[in-house]
Amino acid sequence: MTAGTDSPSKIAFTGRAWPVPLGELPTPVLTLDQAALTHNVDTMSEWCRASGVDLAPHGKTTMAPAVWQQQLDAGAWGITVATAYQAAVAREAGVERIILAGTTFAPDALALLAEPGADVLMWLDSVDGVRLVDDALGRVGPARQLPILVELGAPGGRTGARTIEVALEVARAVLAAENLVLAGVAGYEGALSHGTDGSALQLIDDYLASLIEFRDVLDGDAFADWLARGGDVIVTAGGSVYFDRVVEALGFRHDPEGVRGARTRVVLRSGAYVTHDHDLYRRLTPFGRTAGPETFRPALDLWASVVSRPEPTLALLNVGRRDTSDDEGMPLPVRAYRLVDGEHRPVSDAVEGAVVTALNDQHAFVRLPVGSELAVGDLVRLGISHPCTTLDKWASIAVIADGRGGPALPVVTGSVVTRF
């Protein structure tokens, strides 16, 4: 990934060109560790390659075309998005294969999805949805048919046909539609659970078994014309928590001879792995749940200043909901630095036992143990939980080359622009 030369939007008024010592920038600052990011991209790419599946990482995690390009350069099959706007950003960025894990009914947006230049595969889960999309495309005269992935869900989940029988009705409606073409099946197991105990994993496994059953039913005579069209049949599932279960259930290797009656390409859509985090995915990712050589590294850090110590066990930082996620846990104090003789130096144990208890728009409340040495003006490094809802608060992110290289503050070498 090549960092841009523009200043991150929240620190643009500094007027400084890169590189810049991080301690000279006004806080809050979100940093992206290039070394950790590259490690995560390469680790996931190698794991998918060894597992015999493809990867279309969910681009909504970062909405950063430069990061997408690094993922594609490492071997990603395509990029996943959630909305028509995100698909347009991906097309503009030159992404050639796009999975739209969602639906739009707007005629102009649909016409753009069907335009040559990129293969966009959109999800549908109802006969009514098929009719609406086909009619909308008919009004704008698309350049070509829009590929459709029929989504199979499960009771209690999010979108998706609730039974295989209903999903088959949707597939038949797609085949009969003038402006659509059936491209495969899709699902999202992460909507059913985030648990990692035996019952949660069994729920996930049962759903994945139904997804592959749906794929196999499509091999029947009623779909012979679809199978005869050639090309790959897409089967896609897999968020950031259960991608190992998806591979176990669906991960038969792409077989040009067609062991299932047609060539089948399994595509994962994991997204959060690219930056990882310090809490949620650290606990839930398959690499965190099981012992093994693979691991991801947290690539995002949020930097804030202590602006007040109004009570013995309370500190206020100048960072809040406008800057960080709090939907899956509060930020985690990692280390504190103090300016001494013109240089920021670590303050030993200053944040040991410190806990962020609440966020306002621009303030974080930090509960401290009695006797904490954290002082007004100290710089605090925070880990985050759930990268998706932190990244979307930043129009650009400061890039550091290697944030784990030692006690010294990192140097900001550039920035990455986001397109939220």
Side-chain angles (χ1 to χ4, degrees):
M1 179 185 66
T2 301
T5 57
D6 60 301
S7 297
S9 59
K10 295 189 180 184
I11 57 175
F13 59 85
T14 60
R16 295 289 298 272
W18 309 123
V20 177
L22 190 143
E24 295 184 10
L25 298 178
T27 52
V29 177
L30 182 68
T31 58
L32 177 64
D33 184 333
Q34 179 66 72
L37 182 93
T38 297
H39 168 82
N40 295 342
V41 169
D42 292 346
T43 297
M44 190 64 173
S45 178
E46 288 298 324
W47 189 87
C48 289
R49 188 175 298 113
S51 300
V53 297
D54 287 296
L55 176 66
H58 213 315
K60 72 173 176 61
T61 298
T62 64
M63 281 305 294
V67 175
W68 298 348
Q69 190 59 56
Q70 182 169 345
Q71 294 171 297
L72 291 166
D73 290 344
W77 177 85
I79 294 292
T80 297
V81 297
T83 67
Y85 163 74
Q86 294 173 4
V89 172
R91 287 183 63 105
E92 180 184 322
V95 179
E96 296 180 355
R97 298 189 190 97
I98 301 166
I99 294 178
L100 172 51
T103 305
T104 183
F105 301 109
D108 289 345
L110 288 165
L112 179 62
L113 297 180
E115 281 186 2
D119 290 329
V120 183
L121 296 83
M122 192 177 80
W123 292 17
L124 284 169
D125 72 351
S126 69
V127 172
D128 286 342
V130 171
R131 176 182 54 80
L132 289 168
V133 170
D134 190 43
D135 289 349
L137 280 168
R139 293 197 297 274
V140 294
R144 57 178 179 169
Q145 291 178 304
L146 180 64
I148 297 299
L149 299 174
V150 176
E151 182 189 3
L152 178 68
R158 202 163 59 188
T159 54
R162 289 311 196 238
T163 66
I164 292 176
E165 290 73 20
V166 172
L168 287 170
E169 292 176 4
V170 179
R172 292 187 181 97
V174 172
L175 287 171
E178 181 179 353
N179 301 296
L180 308 178
V181 61
L182 186 61
V185 303
Y188 176 51
E189 73 291 342
L192 302 177
S193 175
H194 272 181
T196 57
D197 58 11
S199 60
L201 295 179
Q202 186 61 56
L203 178 67
I204 299 302
D205 290 346
D206 290 345
Y207 166 71
L208 293 171
S210 70
L211 189 65
I212 198 61
E213 181 183 353
F214 174 40
R215 165 65 188 88
D216 286 345
V217 171
L218 289 178
D219 282 347
D221 292 341
F223 297 92
D225 291 342
W226 168 59
L227 296 174
R229 70 180 174 84
D232 292 328
V233 175
I234 304 298
V235 178
T236 178
S240 296
V241 177
Y242 303 112
F243 58 81
D244 59 331
R245 315 298 292 193
V246 174
V247 165
E248 184 174 342
L250 311 181
F252 46 86
R253 291 183 179 274
H254 175 66
D255 180 3
E257 299 302 322
V259 296
R260 290 183 175 267
R263 294 179 297 179
T264 301
R265 183 178 293 273
V266 177
V267 182
L268 300 183
R269 304 188 311 276
S270 310
Y273 78 90
V274 71
T275 61
H276 200 47
D277 65 17
H278 291 74
D279 185 23
L280 177 69
Y281 288 110
R282 180 189 62 81
R283 292 181 286 106
L284 296 182
T285 180
F287 297 166
R289 298 197 311 266
T290 60
E294 299 95 348
T295 183
F296 296 131
R297 300 173 186 170
L300 293 176
D301 288 292
L302 192 59
W303 302 79
S305 299
V306 179
V307 294
S308 180
R309 280 293 315 268
E311 300 171 15
T313 58
L314 175 65
L316 278 299
L317 308 181
N318 63 342
V319 65
R321 292 191 188 96
R322 299 291 181 93
D323 314 295
T324 184
S325 59
D326 63 353
D327 58 318
E328 294 286 358
M330 294 292 181
L332 306 173
V334 175
R335 180 175 285 183
Y337 299 80
R338 184 168 299 159
L339 187 63
V340 179
D341 297 329
E343 181 181 353
H344 279 90
R345 300 175 184 174
V347 184
S348 179
D349 301 331
V351 295
E352 184 175 350
V355 178
V356 176
T357 60
L359 297 176
N360 290 160
D361 282 358
Q362 304 287 183
H363 291 88
F365 292 74
V366 184
R367 185 179 69 239
L368 300 171
V370 175
S372 171
E373 295 183 12
L374 196 66
V376 169
D378 286 352
L379 186 63
V380 178
R381 183 179 201 156
L382 298 161
I384 58 98
S385 182
H386 196 193
C388 299
T389 47
T390 294
L391 286 160
D392 66 355
K393 296 169 175 58
W394 295 81
S396 52
I397 308 163
V399 175
I400 56 179
D402 187 352
R404 305 295 182 263
L409 280 181
V411 173
V412 178
T413 58
S415 68
V416 167
V417 175
T418 66
R419 294 288 304 279
F420 290 103

